Amino acid sequence: MEEDGPWPPHKAPLDCGGEESDLEMKLLLVLTFLLTINVLCATPPRPNFVLIMVDDLGIGDVGCYGNKTLRTPNIDRLAAEGAKLTQHIAASPLCTPSRAAFMTGRYPVRSGMAAESIFGAFIFSASSGGLPENEITFAEILKMEGYSTGLIGKWHLGLNREKRNDFYHHPLNHGFDYFYGTTVTHLRDCIPGNGSVFLAGAAGFLKQTFVIACITFFTLIFLNYIGIIQIHWKVFGYVLLCIIIFVVPVVLFFWNFRNLNCFLLRNHKVIQQPLIYENLTQRMTNEAVNFILGNQNKPFLLFMSYIQVHTALYASAKFREKSKHGIYGDAVEEVDWSIGEILDVLNRNKLQEATVIYFTSDNGAHLEEISSSGEIHGGCNGIFKGGKATNWEGGIRVPGLLYWPGVVKPKTIINEPTSNMDIFPTVVKLSGAAVPQDRIIDGLDLMPLIQRESVTSEHEFLFHYCNAYLNAVRWNQRNSSSIWKAFFFSPIFYPEESEGCFNSHVCPCFGHLITQYDPPLLFDLSKDPGEKNPLTPHTEPNFYNILRTIEEATMNHRRSIPVTDNQLSVKNVIWKPWLQACCSSWLEFCYCDYDEENWSWIDPPKYKNK
Ligand SMILES: *[C@@H]1O[C@H](CO)[C@@H](O)[C@H](O)[C@H]1NC(C)=O
Ligand SMILES: *[C@@H]1O[C@H](CO)[C@@H](O)[C@H](O)[C@H]1NC(C)=O
């Protein structure tokens, strides 16, 4: 047990010689005066923040949202002793845009972080796109307010822009003092033996292109040789040179993909390339505990952004084969353990009442994630339809918990619509800062709802985007229990009876694989949360009036969206060799491992067996 020590804990030496006692006296008076003012004004103390985001976790994977077989006691404790949001909506069903919205409190289309092409998220660490510098993150504001700000885990909002070490989109350039993690998405290709979705698809496409190019090339040579066509032989030389110039880097890139794309950074330094994942959740936990211990005497913000439970799945030895849901369940249970460690360190240091903990997922579970042996590697979205990459409720309705003992009443349940964009104004206001006035902030302060000062959400409309395309609109009608949701299009599920796009692995937002609706497909989520029965003018007498109101709101919303540079344009997402982070020389294939020295195993996990 620790005693409440003086603050600051280490007394500064006051021995300055000469007239120290006089000086001390004056200082004491000034201090007493300042303290009195502080007490009189009774400004509430600024809380610390631990914001927890799990990657691709489904709302149906968590005990407090109804799962009975996956063990998440620590997450459940946040709900039991805090507030549970039952209609918490991610601003996008995909990682990059959802995280951009979370960090800025704004729809991703406002910052150019929503794609018009099929590349909805950053896949290469050496892309040039990323969160624009003129966007303001909550970390930036809190840092200015004197907070220590740390990000541990996944960023996924860019790294470099023009040079391989300009760190233009790096977390340290967006308000974080400390970063330990990865800047791009996790992929199956990052862990040998986990199969491949992205690389296998790309390789198939490139191989096909290459074969067609070769056949054409040699046919032309043959036709030229027998005299049917007449092309100067030099031209063939140039074409061959072009093919080689294009093919060599592509082959090298694919061959060394794991090193080039799966690496760990500490601040600006690559500390492990390729990343060894097995114990990563443990190492991240260790980092989080150290960050909290190192900052316990000043306000801090920790964004704990787990790499799991995105594929490739992993869990450390103590969790493997312990859950009832294969490696997916093991990974979730390890994340839950990790959250328990964070709660523990806050408790042990008497920080629990001084710290707001928020828990969420960036989007719904990725239903199409099934291993080559048929094991389910995607989570569960409970009663909700569809999953990641769709705007059916399963893609965007995520867990949302807010835990703040002493302020938020235990077992608070909020059924009103809330958004992951709400964290921005909530955190900024609680830190004592003002929300920026020079731009539209789409998020709304959560505290009035959570403290029951208001009963209805101020989010009358929420706009659900599929990348840059407006996909659906939610209308939380005032003075009515109805929550209308109108779809302008939806992806075509394959196989038909499934709830996913098992042909393309990620559901598309445009093209021939979607169905357009005119009039829009309308649901009342208050009666039909599973989105099973579209309403018609017969079943809903106000059908056309409802659609008219939604259309008007949509027009107003569209008018508020500026034209910006698209950070996810094809030009900005492709691999650019000159932006590639590499911790050794290219001849050594970008290999290094400096991380070992800095971490040690924490307490043994609490789970023993199934
Ligand atoms: C993970 O941690 C365990 C326990 O300390 C250790 O035995 C194992 O070698 C570690 N794995 C890797 C890949 O470092
Ligand atoms: C709990 O989660 C697992 C893993 O995602 C899933 O298979 C199971 O169906 C879920 N259980 C319930 C009751 O939702």
Coordinates of all heavy atoms in Angstrom, one line a residue, residues 263-309:
F263 N 5.8 -3.8 -39.3 CA 6.9 -3.5 -38.4 C 6.4 -2.6 -37.3 O 5.2 -2.1 -37.3 CB 8.0 -2.7 -39.2 CG 7.5 -1.5 -40.0 CD1 7.3 -0.3 -39.3 CD2 7.3 -1.6 -41.3 CE1 6.9 0.8 -40.0 CE2 6.8 -0.5 -42.1 CZ 6.7 0.7 -41.4
L264 N 7.2 -2.6 -36.3 CA 6.8 -1.9 -35.0 C 7.6 -0.6 -34.9 O 8.8 -0.6 -35.1 CB 7.0 -2.8 -33.9 CG 6.6 -2.4 -32.5 CD1 5.1 -2.3 -32.4 CD2 7.1 -3.4 -31.4
L265 N 6.9 0.5 -34.5 CA 7.6 1.7 -34.3 C 7.6 2.1 -32.8 O 6.6 1.9 -32.1 CB 7.0 2.9 -35.0 CG 7.1 2.9 -36.6 CD1 6.1 3.9 -37.1 CD2 8.5 3.2 -37.0
R266 N 8.7 2.7 -32.3 CA 8.6 3.4 -31.0 C 8.9 4.8 -31.4 O 10.0 5.1 -31.9 CB 9.6 2.9 -30.0 CG 9.7 3.7 -28.7 CD 10.5 3.2 -27.6 NE 9.7 2.2 -26.8 CZ 10.0 1.0 -26.6 NH1 11.1 0.5 -27.1 NH2 9.3 0.2 -25.9
N267 N 8.0 5.7 -31.2 CA 8.1 7.1 -31.7 C 8.5 7.0 -33.2 O 7.8 6.4 -34.0 CB 9.1 7.9 -30.9 CG 8.5 8.1 -29.5 OD1 7.3 8.1 -29.3 ND2 9.3 8.2 -28.5
H268 N 9.6 7.6 -33.6 CA 9.9 7.6 -35.0 C 10.8 6.4 -35.5 O 11.0 6.2 -36.6 CB 10.7 8.8 -35.4 CG 9.9 10.1 -35.4 ND1 10.4 11.3 -34.9 CD2 8.6 10.3 -35.7 CE1 9.4 12.2 -34.9 NE2 8.3 11.6 -35.4
K269 N 11.2 5.6 -34.5 CA 12.2 4.5 -34.8 C 11.5 3.2 -35.0 O 10.7 2.7 -34.2 CB 13.2 4.4 -33.6 CG 14.4 3.6 -33.9 CD 15.3 3.5 -32.7 CE 16.4 2.5 -33.0 NZ 17.1 2.0 -31.8
V270 N 12.0 2.5 -36.1 CA 11.5 1.2 -36.3 C 12.3 0.3 -35.4 O 13.5 0.3 -35.4 CB 11.8 0.7 -37.8 CG1 11.4 -0.7 -38.0 CG2 11.1 1.6 -38.8
I271 N 11.6 -0.4 -34.5 CA 12.3 -1.2 -33.5 C 12.1 -2.7 -33.7 O 12.8 -3.5 -33.1 CB 11.8 -0.9 -32.1 CG1 10.3 -1.0 -31.9 CG2 12.3 0.5 -31.7 CD1 9.9 -0.9 -30.5
Q272 N 11.2 -3.1 -34.6 CA 11.2 -4.6 -35.0 C 10.6 -4.7 -36.4 O 9.5 -4.3 -36.6 CB 10.3 -5.3 -33.9 CG 10.5 -6.8 -34.0 CD 9.7 -7.5 -32.9 OE1 8.5 -7.3 -32.8 NE2 10.4 -8.4 -32.1
Q273 N 11.4 -5.3 -37.2 CA 10.9 -5.5 -38.6 C 11.5 -6.8 -39.1 O 12.7 -6.9 -39.2 CB 11.5 -4.3 -39.4 CG 11.0 -4.1 -40.8 CD 11.4 -2.8 -41.5 OE1 12.3 -2.2 -41.1 NE2 10.7 -2.5 -42.6
P274 N 10.7 -7.8 -39.4 CA 9.2 -7.8 -39.3 C 8.8 -7.9 -37.9 O 9.6 -8.4 -37.0 CB 8.8 -9.0 -40.1 CG 10.0 -9.9 -39.9 CD 11.2 -9.1 -40.0
L275 N 7.5 -7.5 -37.6 CA 7.0 -7.6 -36.3 C 6.7 -9.1 -35.9 O 6.2 -9.8 -36.6 CB 5.7 -6.8 -36.2 CG 5.3 -6.0 -35.0 CD1 4.1 -5.2 -35.3 CD2 5.1 -6.8 -33.8
I276 N 7.1 -9.4 -34.6 CA 6.8 -10.7 -34.1 C 5.6 -10.5 -33.2 O 5.7 -9.9 -32.2 CB 8.0 -11.3 -33.3 CG1 9.3 -11.2 -34.1 CG2 7.7 -12.7 -32.8 CD1 9.4 -12.0 -35.3
Y277 N 4.5 -11.1 -33.6 CA 3.2 -10.8 -33.0 C 2.9 -11.6 -31.7 O 2.1 -11.1 -30.9 CB 2.1 -11.0 -34.0 CG 2.1 -10.0 -35.1 CD1 2.8 -10.2 -36.2 CD2 1.4 -8.8 -34.9 CE1 2.9 -9.2 -37.2 CE2 1.4 -7.8 -35.9 CZ 2.2 -8.0 -37.1 OH 2.3 -7.1 -38.0
E278 N 3.4 -12.8 -31.6 CA 2.9 -13.7 -30.6 C 2.6 -13.0 -29.2 O 1.6 -13.2 -28.7 CB 4.0 -14.8 -30.4 CG 3.6 -15.8 -29.4 CD 4.8 -16.9 -29.2 OE1 5.4 -17.2 -30.2 OE2 5.0 -17.3 -28.1
N279 N 3.6 -12.3 -28.7 CA 3.4 -11.7 -27.4 C 3.0 -10.2 -27.5 O 3.2 -9.4 -26.5 CB 4.7 -11.8 -26.6 CG 5.0 -13.3 -26.3 OD1 4.1 -14.1 -26.1 ND2 6.2 -13.6 -26.2
L280 N 2.6 -9.7 -28.6 CA 2.4 -8.3 -28.8 C 1.3 -7.7 -27.8 O 1.5 -6.6 -27.3 CB 2.0 -8.0 -30.3 CG 1.9 -6.5 -30.6 CD1 3.2 -5.8 -30.3 CD2 1.5 -6.3 -32.1
T281 N 0.2 -8.4 -27.6 CA -0.7 -7.8 -26.7 C -0.1 -7.6 -25.3 O -0.3 -6.6 -24.6 CB -2.0 -8.7 -26.6 OG1 -2.5 -8.8 -27.9 CG2 -3.1 -8.1 -25.7
Q282 N 0.8 -8.6 -24.9 CA 1.5 -8.5 -23.6 C 2.4 -7.3 -23.6 O 2.5 -6.5 -22.7 CB 2.3 -9.7 -23.4 CG 1.5 -11.0 -23.4 CD 0.8 -11.3 -22.1 OE1 1.1 -10.8 -21.1 NE2 -0.3 -12.0 -22.2
R283 N 3.1 -7.1 -24.7 CA 4.1 -6.0 -24.8 C 3.4 -4.7 -24.8 O 3.8 -3.7 -24.2 CB 4.9 -6.2 -26.1 CG 5.9 -7.3 -26.0 CD 6.2 -7.9 -27.4 NE 7.0 -7.0 -28.3 CZ 7.1 -7.3 -29.6 NH1 6.6 -8.3 -30.1 NH2 7.9 -6.5 -30.3
M284 N 2.2 -4.6 -25.5 CA 1.5 -3.4 -25.5 C 0.9 -3.1 -24.1 O 0.9 -1.9 -23.7 CB 0.3 -3.5 -26.5 CG 0.7 -3.3 -27.9 SD -0.7 -3.6 -29.0 CE -1.9 -2.5 -28.4
T285 N 0.5 -4.1 -23.4 CA 0.0 -3.9 -22.0 C 1.1 -3.3 -21.1 O 0.9 -2.4 -20.3 CB -0.5 -5.3 -21.4 OG1 -1.3 -5.9 -22.4 CG2 -1.2 -5.1 -20.1
N286 N 2.3 -3.9 -21.3 CA 3.5 -3.5 -20.6 C 3.8 -2.0 -20.8 O 4.0 -1.2 -19.9 CB 4.7 -4.3 -21.1 CG 5.8 -4.3 -20.1 OD1 5.6 -4.8 -19.0 ND2 6.9 -3.8 -20.5
E287 N 3.6 -1.6 -22.1 CA 3.8 -0.2 -22.5 C 2.8 0.7 -21.8 O 3.1 1.8 -21.4 CB 3.7 -0.1 -24.0 CG 4.8 -0.6 -24.8 CD 6.1 0.3 -24.7 OE1 5.9 1.5 -24.7 OE2 7.2 -0.3 -24.7
A288 N 1.5 0.2 -21.8 CA 0.4 1.0 -21.3 C 0.7 1.2 -19.8 O 0.5 2.3 -19.2 CB -0.9 0.3 -21.5
V289 N 1.0 0.1 -19.1 CA 1.3 0.2 -17.6 C 2.4 1.2 -17.4 O 2.3 2.1 -16.5 CB 1.6 -1.2 -17.1 CG1 2.1 -1.1 -15.6 CG2 0.3 -2.0 -17.1
N290 N 3.5 1.1 -18.1 CA 4.6 2.0 -17.9 C 4.2 3.5 -18.3 O 4.6 4.4 -17.6 CB 5.8 1.6 -18.8 CG 6.4 0.4 -18.2 OD1 6.3 0.1 -17.1 ND2 7.1 -0.3 -19.1
F291 N 3.4 3.6 -19.3 CA 2.9 5.0 -19.6 C 2.1 5.6 -18.5 O 2.4 6.7 -18.1 CB 2.1 5.0 -20.9 CG 1.6 6.4 -21.3 CD1 2.4 7.2 -22.1 CD2 0.4 6.8 -20.9 CE1 2.0 8.5 -22.4 CE2 0.0 8.1 -21.2 CZ 0.8 8.9 -22.0
I292 N 1.2 4.8 -17.9 CA 0.4 5.3 -16.8 C 1.3 5.6 -15.6 O 1.2 6.7 -14.9 CB -0.7 4.3 -16.4 CG1 -1.7 4.2 -17.6 CG2 -1.4 4.7 -15.1 CD1 -2.7 3.1 -17.5
L293 N 2.2 4.7 -15.2 CA 3.0 4.9 -14.1 C 3.9 6.1 -14.2 O 4.1 6.9 -13.3 CB 3.9 3.6 -13.8 CG 3.2 2.4 -13.3 CD1 4.1 1.2 -13.2 CD2 2.5 2.7 -12.0
G294 N 4.4 6.3 -15.4 CA 5.3 7.4 -15.7 C 4.6 8.8 -15.7 O 5.2 9.8 -15.7
N295 N 3.3 8.7 -15.8 CA 2.5 10.0 -15.9 C 1.5 10.2 -14.8 O 0.7 11.1 -14.9 CB 1.8 10.1 -17.3 CG 2.8 10.3 -18.4 OD1 3.4 11.3 -18.5 ND2 3.0 9.3 -19.2
Q296 N 1.6 9.4 -13.8 CA 0.6 9.5 -12.8 C 0.5 10.8 -12.0 O -0.5 11.1 -11.4 CB 0.7 8.3 -11.8 CG 2.1 8.2 -11.1 CD 2.1 7.1 -10.2 OE1 1.3 6.9 -9.4 NE2 3.1 6.2 -10.4
N297 N 1.5 11.6 -12.1 CA 1.4 12.9 -11.4 C 1.1 14.1 -12.3 O 1.2 15.2 -11.9 CB 2.8 13.2 -10.7 CG 3.0 12.2 -9.6 OD1 2.0 11.8 -8.9 ND2 4.2 11.6 -9.5
K298 N 0.7 13.8 -13.5 CA 0.2 14.9 -14.3 C -1.0 14.3 -15.2 O -1.1 13.1 -15.3 CB 1.3 15.4 -15.2 CG 2.0 14.4 -16.0 CD 3.2 15.0 -16.7 CE 4.1 13.9 -17.1 NZ 5.5 14.1 -17.3
P299 N -1.8 15.2 -15.7 CA -2.9 14.6 -16.5 C -2.4 13.9 -17.7 O -1.4 14.3 -18.3 CB -3.7 15.8 -16.9 CG -2.9 17.0 -16.7 CD -1.8 16.6 -15.7
F300 N -3.0 12.8 -18.1 CA -2.6 12.0 -19.2 C -3.8 11.5 -20.1 O -4.9 11.4 -19.6 CB -1.7 10.9 -18.8 CG -2.3 9.8 -18.0 CD1 -3.1 8.8 -18.6 CD2 -2.2 9.7 -16.6 CE1 -3.7 7.8 -17.8 CE2 -2.8 8.8 -15.8 CZ -3.6 7.8 -16.5
L301 N -3.5 11.3 -21.3 CA -4.4 10.7 -22.2 C -3.7 9.5 -22.9 O -2.7 9.7 -23.5 CB -4.8 11.7 -23.3 CG -5.5 11.0 -24.6 CD1 -7.0 11.1 -24.5 CD2 -5.0 11.7 -25.9
L302 N -4.3 8.3 -22.7 CA -3.7 7.1 -23.3 C -4.7 6.6 -24.3 O -5.9 6.3 -23.9 CB -3.4 6.1 -22.3 CG -3.0 4.7 -22.8 CD1 -1.7 4.8 -23.7 CD2 -2.8 3.7 -21.7
F303 N -4.4 6.5 -25.6 CA -5.2 5.9 -26.6 C -4.6 4.5 -26.8 O -3.6 4.3 -27.3 CB -5.2 6.7 -27.9 CG -6.0 6.1 -29.0 CD1 -7.0 5.1 -28.8 CD2 -5.8 6.5 -30.3 CE1 -7.7 4.5 -29.8 CE2 -6.5 5.9 -31.4 CZ -7.5 5.0 -31.1
M304 N -5.4 3.5 -26.2 CA -4.9 2.1 -26.3 C -5.7 1.4 -27.5 O -6.8 1.1 -27.3 CB -5.2 1.4 -25.0 CG -4.7 0.0 -24.8 SD -2.9 0.1 -24.7 CE -2.5 -1.7 -24.4
S305 N -4.9 1.2 -28.6 CA -5.6 0.8 -29.8 C -5.1 -0.5 -30.2 O -4.1 -0.7 -30.9 CB -5.2 1.9 -30.9 OG -5.8 1.6 -32.1
Y306 N -5.8 -1.6 -29.7 CA -5.3 -3.0 -29.9 C -5.2 -3.3 -31.3 O -6.1 -3.0 -32.2 CB -6.3 -3.9 -29.1 CG -6.1 -3.8 -27.6 CD1 -7.0 -3.0 -26.9 CD2 -5.1 -4.5 -27.0 CE1 -6.8 -2.9 -25.5 CE2 -4.9 -4.4 -25.6 CZ -5.8 -3.6 -24.9 OH -5.7 -3.4 -23.5
I307 N -4.2 -4.1 -31.7 CA -4.0 -4.6 -33.1 C -5.0 -5.7 -33.3 O -5.5 -6.0 -34.4 CB -2.6 -5.2 -33.2 CG1 -1.5 -4.2 -32.7 CG2 -2.3 -5.6 -34.7 CD1 -1.3 -3.0 -33.6
Q308 N -5.3 -6.5 -32.3 CA -6.3 -7.5 -32.3 C -7.7 -6.9 -32.2 O -7.8 -5.8 -31.7 CB -6.1 -8.6 -31.2 CG -4.8 -9.4 -31.5 CD -5.0 -10.3 -32.7 OE1 -5.5 -11.3 -32.7 NE2 -4.5 -9.8 -33.8
V309 N -8.8 -7.5 -32.7 CA -8.8 -8.9 -33.2 C -9.0 -8.9 -34.7 O -9.8 -9.7 -35.2 CB -10.0 -9.7 -32.5 CG1 -9.6 -10.0 -31.1 CG2 -11.3 -8.9 -32.5

